[in-house]
Amino acid sequence: MIEVEMTVEEIESEFDDEWVLLTDPETDDGLHVIKGNVVCHSKDRDEVYRYLLATRPVRYAMLFTGEIPDNTAVVL
């Protein structure tokens, strides 16, 4: 996939309910992602994880642009 630098606002408007992998993320003082290079996105989380494992970027962030269901555990 092609690397495209985008802000979180652009990502959320472009990729609804998708998992998004960013390389070289820029964060604020609270470590919230501000922007990064979108290298992979999909509604299928496993597809994004496979890309992550295949490429093994040094600095990355993973975002989900939808609502996380109440019965879902999130590990940071």
Side-chain angles (χ1 to χ4, degrees):
M1 289 193 179
I2 297 172
E3 248 182 66
V4 178
E5 184 175 89
M6 298 177 82
T7 66
V8 169
E9 292 81 13
E10 292 169 328
I11 292 166
E12 289 172 345
S13 70
E14 181 78 22
F15 308 113
D16 189 36
D17 290 329
E18 290 194 43
W19 294 90
V20 181
L21 178 63
L22 306 172
T23 58
D24 300 319
E26 184 178 313
T27 58
D28 63 15
D29 291 338
L31 296 182
H32 300 100
V33 176
I34 298 170
K35 66 182 179 179
N37 298 314
V38 176
V39 294
C40 185
H41 62 90
S42 176
K43 290 193 180 285
D44 180 1
R45 181 192 65 185
D46 291 341
E47 182 179 336
V48 178
Y49 277 122
R50 282 190 294 274
Y51 184 89
L52 173 65
L53 290 174
T55 59
R56 298 194 184 269
V58 175
R59 292 187 60 244
Y60 69 91
M62 176 95 62
L63 304 175
F64 180 66
T65 61
E67 293 291 322
I68 297 178
D70 290 336
N71 63 344
T72 302
V74 177
V75 179
L76 302 176

